[in-house]
Amino acid sequence: MNITKSNLPLLELRHFRSPELTWIPNTDTPFTLYYDETNNIRRLALTESGLNHQALDCFVLGGIALRPGARLPEIESLRRKARIQPSTKELKLKHFAEGDYAACLDSAKLEIFLTWVLDAPVHLHFSNFSVLNWAIVDLVDSILAVDRYRPLQEIHQDLKTELHALVRTDPLGYFQLLKTFDYPNIAPERHAEFLHAVRAFLFRNGFIFRNFHTMTLSDLLQEAAADVTLVFLTDNKSDVLVDRFDDVFLQRMATFRRAKHVFDEEDQVRRRLYERRVVIDGQTVDYCFANSKSEPAIQISDVLCGLLGKHFSSMEKHSIEELEAWTSSLSDRQRRNRALLSQLIDNAHEECPAFLFNQAPKESQAKSEWFLDGAEYPEDYRD
């Protein structure tokens, strides 16, 4: 169902669209994009014990894209090759692989699936969001919004990466600290106290700096405590770190403004979107929500999203040393499946770089590129 009723209030997506997309090929091609999502916790909030969700896996929205005129092959051939029971009503990741990322990559059925997708006239697309990163980066943004610190905007992603790396060593302790300040609704008179407390927590084991940006973050927290008002950490709902993931859906619609977007049914997002007429530059965006049981392209998207969620979560949660140890003992099948996933990503990038959106810390992105493509891992990210 497409919402075009003129009496609905407008939701203009222009501010979700980056000006850089003008120079990226194929962003205005009228693809049909199919979506599913994984690790949609819907809401992340502070509690007395830490968080209402403990896993903090990466949220991924994505699936497959078809060019105009292209059609997804009948999935019965995939079912037969993978020996999926005829009684299975819809395909999901669990039908091809189960367990952690390592176990999934060792699945023979996953190899069949990835090979089938590579042979089909489709392209992978995704948005990956580090939930932990999303929950904590407003601290850096609030400081850099102050005029005297604006020159540091050019390294804002590096500062966020170092904050994430320090928090990752003890996220529960960090969130318990935030709770004592009603984060992200900190009273202005407590901003200096908050910044001192955060700095003391992050560097509680001593001022050991793995790179220049870690040192810069330490100095920034100390200096900002003297005169900074944390503009993005006031007048918010206390304890609510992530209220919803609607913006991820909207960002994809704005990126591919001339595409047709077919989302898996997600009742809360659908209800909120259907209350508005979604437009970009005044033109109605073509989108709908579909039942995955009757839409094979969403079923394929489910498997891809589930796998990507495990991949990106593993890259974030494991150190490079742990990943190096694991990689040295990969089975032949794990190596083949890794190569197939890498090829899917490379093909998508060649078709349209905007198909791939990775909102994760730079360190996590570097681990992903190292694992999939053998890219050199920066020494600055080693402890």
Side-chain angles (χ1 to χ4, degrees), residues 111-124:
E111 185 174 357
I112 292 170
F113 172 83
L114 292 175
T115 301
W116 186 89
V117 175
L118 269 171
D119 290 340
V122 303
H123 291 284
L124 173 70

Side-chain angles (χ1 to χ4, degrees), residues 218-256:
S218 173
D219 292 344
L220 182 63
L221 291 169
Q222 183 175 28
E223 292 178 21
D227 61 357
V228 164
T229 298
L230 302 171
V231 294
F232 299 129
L233 296 177
T234 58
D235 299 323
N236 301 308
K237 296 179 182 177
S238 297
D239 301 333
V240 179
L241 303 177
V242 179
D243 194 27
R244 59 186 63 174
F245 289 103
D246 295 24
D247 285 0
V248 185
F249 291 75
L250 299 176
Q251 187 264 348
R252 296 311 274 173
M253 288 193 275
T255 299
F256 298 99

Side-chain angles (χ1 to χ4, degrees), residues 59-87:
F59 170 70
V60 179
L61 175 71
I64 57 173
L66 279 73
R67 273 189 163 273
R71 298 185 63 181
L72 183 72
E74 291 292 333
I75 64 171
E76 291 307 315
S77 62
L78 174 60
R79 283 174 167 269
R80 289 193 298 270
K81 290 178 181 178
R83 297 182 179 180
I84 305 296
Q85 293 293 329
S87 58

Side-chain angles (χ1 to χ4, degrees), residues 34-41 56-63 124-131 134 245 248-249 252 263-264 266 301-314 316 355-360:
Y34 294 90
Y35 298 83
D36 200 359
E37 73 242 23
T38 192
N39 302 324
N40 187 350
I41 59 175
L56 290 182
D57 290 325
C58 292
F59 170 70
V60 179
L61 175 71
L124 173 70
H125 71 91
F126 64 78
S127 285
N128 172 56
F129 277 79
S130 163
V131 175
W134 199 345
F245 289 103
V248 185
F249 291 75
R252 296 311 274 173
F263 299 105
D264 188 24
E266 212 293 340
S301 299
D302 176 287
V303 182
L304 289 169
C305 269
L307 180 62
L308 289 169
K310 291 179 182 292
H311 168 77
F312 289 120
S313 297
S314 293
E316 176 163 314
F355 275 156
L356 314 176
F357 186 76
N358 191 358
Q359 191 69 21

Side-chain angles (χ1 to χ4, degrees), residues 131-146:
V131 175
L132 173 59
N133 202 50
W134 199 345
I136 65 176
V137 294
D138 280 352
L139 170 59
V140 173
D141 288 332
S142 292
I143 297 174
L144 299 191
V146 177

